[in-house]
Structure formats: C-alpha cells, structure tokens
Amino acid sequence: GTGEPVLPAAAWWQAERPRLLELAGERTPRYVYHLPTVRAQARRLKALNAVDRVHYAVKANTHPAILRALAEEGFAFECVSPGELAAVSAVVPESAPLLFTPNFASRRDFAAALATRATITIDALHPVEHWGEMFAGRDIVLRVDLGRGLGHHDKVKTGGTGSKFGVPIEHVDRFLRLADAAGARVIGLHAHLGSGILDAGHWGEVYSQLAALAERIGTISVLNIGGGLGVPSHPGEAPLDMAALDRVITSVRQAYPQFQLWMEPGRFLVADAGVLLAKVTQDKEKGANVRYLGLDTGMNSLIRPALYDAWHEIANLTRFGEPATTMYQVVGPICESGDILGSDRRLPESREDDVILIAQAGAYGAAMASRYNLRDEADEVILP
Ligand code: LLP
C-alpha cells in the first residue's frame, strides 16, 4: 500500500485503478467521480426514518450528473446563490424542492431566488427590515444562531459571535415582528453549526433547541437541523454512527412530533466519491531528508490542505502496491509556500509522469478551484 492505513472508502478507487490510469493518461489534472458511491451515501441518508426531507447542499459539488443522480434518489436541493439555483434548475425536475439559504446576500440575490420555486431562508434582520415588501405573502425560514459552532476546523464553524451566520436568539423576537409587519409567514427555523461533524448527538440537540423555540413562536411547521455530516478524513478516525444518528433524531422527534424535520448535508454525499488525478512533474531534494514531490496541480485544484490543513490520502497509482520507501512533501506548481497537498507522506520512490491520486476530493474540491497563476482547471469525469 501507500504506507498509510487505508480508509474503507478507498475501496472503489483501488478497484477502478486500471480505468483511472487510463483517464490520467489522457489528461491531468482531472477529477473523477464515482456515482455508485454517491448513490450509496444517498441511501444511507434515506434510511434515517425521522427525516422528512434531505436537501443536498450543492456547494459541495455541482456536477450535473451528481445533481441528476441525487434527484433520482428523491433528494431536494439547498442553494446559496442565484448561480447555484440556476445550475440546479437546469438539471433537476420541477418536482424536486429547492431551498435558498444564503448569507449576506444582496437584495438582487433575493429577488432572483424569489422568482424560483425555492423556499427562502433569511439569516439576518436586514432583509425583513429594509426589503420587507419583497417577502409579503411568502413563507420564509429563519436561520438562528444557537450560540455555538462545530466542525473540522475553526474556519468551518458557523455559530457564536465570532461567526457571521444566523440571527442571534436575542434578536428572534425583533425578526418575527419585522417579518409580520412585512406580511411574511415564518414557517420554519434553521440552524447549521458547521461542517465535518462526527458527533451524532449534536443534531438531536439542535432539533430540541429549535423545537423549544418553535413552540414559543407558534407558526412554525418545519425545523431544518442543517448539514455538516462528516466523513472520517484521517486514518483512525471513526465514521459518523448512522444508527446512533437515527436513534437520536427519532427520539427528539417523538418529543416534538408536530414539526417536519429537514436536513441539508453536502460533504457526506460526495466526499468519498471523488478523487483528483495528477502527474509527477519533478522531484527535489533539500537538506538531508527533505524530498519534495511536485505535481502538475496543487492548491488551484484542491485548496483544502492549504486552507484548513485538511488531510487527504495520497497514493501513487502507477506504483500501487510497491513498498512505500520514501517520505515526501507533495506539492503543486503554484507560487505560494502554502501550495501543499500532503506533508510527510510515505510513498513508493516516484518518477516523473507517475499518476498520483488524491482521495476524498469529491466535496469542496472542484467547487473551490481557482484559475490562480492561470493554470488550467482540472476537468471532471463521471464513472457511472
Ligand atoms: N448548510 C449550510 C447552511 C452550510 O453553510 C453548509 C456548508 C452546508 C449546509 C453543508 O455542509 P456539509 O454537510 O457539506 O458539511 N469548504 C469547507 C466546508 C465549508 C462548508 C460551508 N457550508 C471544507 O472543504 O471543509
């Protein structure tokens, strides 16, 4: 192997190695997405009995084939911009519900979203205070900040005064008065604490807190307990316990059965379904023991290691199974010291043009890619 403990989700790309080598032979950098893995994850979410509606948070990956596959699985879609609403509307059937959950969106963004069938979530006083007439006669969802955030990195926690998201609890009554004055009906409450959460109990707490608030408000029929469902991303990390999640939300729902329960996961559906393929460009030695392995793409295609110190498994596909003899700093061609894909990775001694696979890149990979340094963007291939 690569010398790193192998994560269970790696199974598909090991089995597809010949096909992946062929695809990399045609072109790199290249993202490859395995639809059976997306569908398998979709079914694990559909098995959650207490959930009435699962929205796919399309910001994680907007590839049309993925949107189509999830529409076929009966998913709804959560969008955060007019661009995402347009991308989704272009490929999913009219019957798929849409949810618009923006942050600091402009009046124009809201106008665009109100022209679609999306349910609108508002996460500040400003829209109902200054643009109230836009929401007259509409059902809206209020995003609240429950005062705490969670997630795999500080940059992905979305609660508390250090975070820009949501209406703080002490402003909820003001929001309700402003919405009422505007003629809008607040039919739902929403909270999303962050991304990459592996503690199943947290969604039960969110539901209970929202339910207690909703009972006080009286007009609420829907509670959206957010996304953030993590996948193990580091060797040895335990996966989210889906049976425990099912038990937790079933029990809180029994305590407050009058509300519909919505979720909006992104990463969980697509992270393990995607890999990034690149080729070795150069090998450089520095000092006694430091070896840099250069690839033909870096933070321009996958910014997560640079931005969050995220750990992605890296394998030399060309030499898969050979002894992992060499410790590398795996880097890209971008003019930034932070342009690193993996540090201290033990791999087989690697050569120019070897195909390198970066795993678990299906979520927030291509979606966050840039054209920095005017490098070509990785293209995207679907394995159906
Ligand atoms: N709902 C809301 C309101 C969100 O802000 C997000 C993600 C989601 C749902 C979906 O979260 P997920 O289930 O995918 O964790 N770029 C970071 C993650 C940022 C997430 C942004 N919001 C990363 O690569 O780890």
Side-chain angles (χ1 to χ4, degrees), residues 342-358:
S343 40
D344 300 330
R345 300 310 175 89
R346 208 171 272 291
L347 296 171
E349 182 74 20
S350 302
R351 303 250 179 281
E352 183 180 342
D353 288 332
D354 279 2
V355 175
I356 303 294
L357 175 143
I358 298 124

Side-chain angles (χ1 to χ4, degrees), residues 57 59 143 152 192 195 228 264-267 304 308 364 368:
K59 62 175 82 68
R143 177 172 183 174
H152 69 82
H192 170 85
S195 193
E264 48 182 21
R267 181 194 316 274
R304 303 191 70 253
Y308 316 116
Y364 306 107
M368 295 178 80

Side-chain angles (χ1 to χ4, degrees), residues 90-376:
V91 294
V92 312
E94 280 283 324
S95 54
L98 306 183
L99 183 59
F100 185 58
T101 310
N103 173 250
F104 285 97
S106 65
R107 184 180 182 130
R108 231 174 111 194
D109 289 349
F110 277 107
L114 285 162
T116 72
R117 65 179 183 283
T119 302
I120 309 292
T121 304
I122 300 182
D123 94 326
L125 299 181
H126 191 110
V128 279
E129 191 167 1
H130 299 285
W131 318 324
E133 74 287 353
M134 297 178 84
F135 306 104
R138 304 290 299 227
D139 290 350
I140 58 172
V141 174
L142 162 61
R143 177 172 183 174
V144 295
D145 177 358
L146 295 175
R148 65 186 193 286
L150 286 174
H152 69 82
H153 189 277
D154 279 346
K155 288 195 168 105
V156 301
K157 294 178 183 166
T158 54
T161 51
S163 139
K164 67 182 175 132
F165 298 93
V167 171
I169 296 290
E170 64 269 24
H171 288 168
V172 165
D173 287 333
R174 249 176 89 193
F175 183 96
L176 295 172
R177 280 196 301 276
L178 290 163
D180 191 51
R185 281 177 304 272
V186 183
I187 57 104
L189 292 180
H190 170 228
H192 170 85
L193 271 54
S195 193
I197 302 167
L198 292 165
D199 163 26
H202 133 80
W203 289 276
E205 290 162 26
V206 168
Y207 186 88
S208 305
Q209 280 181 275
L210 291 181
L213 183 59
E215 282 199 326
R216 183 164 78 63
I217 295 172
T219 58
I220 306 294
S221 57
V222 171
L223 302 181
N224 178 358
I225 60 174
L229 288 76
V231 290
S233 54
H234 206 275
E237 204 167 42
L240 185 59
D241 182 340
M242 295 303 279
L245 178 59
D246 197 33
R247 280 195 303 276
V248 162
I249 55 181
T250 299
S251 103
V252 290
R253 235 203 119 171
Q254 275 160 3
Y256 299 95
Q258 68 270 43
F259 304 113
Q260 272 193 59
L261 195 165
W262 291 2
M263 293 189 91
E264 48 182 21
R267 181 194 316 274
F268 185 84
L269 285 154
V270 292
D272 286 319
V275 297
L276 173 62
L277 301 177
K279 282 201 202 81
V280 172
T281 55
Q282 300 184 27
D283 178 359
K284 177 187 288 182
E285 216 175 290
K286 269 198 170 182
N289 325 304
V290 182
R291 291 276 294 274
Y292 287 95
L293 190 67
L295 306 185
D296 59 4
T297 198
M299 67 190 290
N300 54 320
S301 290
L302 183 68
I303 201 173
R304 303 191 70 253
L307 197 55
Y308 316 116
D309 283 321
W311 194 94
H312 288 257
E313 183 177 4
I314 295 177
N316 184 325
L317 268 200
T318 305
R319 295 174 205 286
F320 196 74
E322 291 178 19
T325 51
T326 310
M327 187 71 95
Y328 286 113
Q329 312 304 318
V330 182
V331 300
I334 300 299
C335 298
E336 297 264 345
S337 287
D339 180 27
I340 190 145
L341 290 168
S343 40
D344 300 330
R345 300 310 175 89
R346 208 171 272 291
L347 296 171
E349 182 74 20
S350 302
R351 303 250 179 281
E352 183 180 342
D353 288 332
D354 279 2
V355 175
I356 303 294
L357 175 143
I358 298 124
Q360 206 173 64
Y364 306 107
M368 295 178 80
S370 76
R371 296 213 56 225
Y372 188 34
N373 286 188
L374 296 188
R375 288 276 167 197
D376 288 342

Side-chain angles (χ1 to χ4, degrees), residues 67-83:
L67 299 178
R68 225 172 277 124
L70 290 172
E72 281 164 20
E73 295 290 335
F75 276 63
F77 296 87
E78 187 244 340
C79 301
V80 296
S81 68

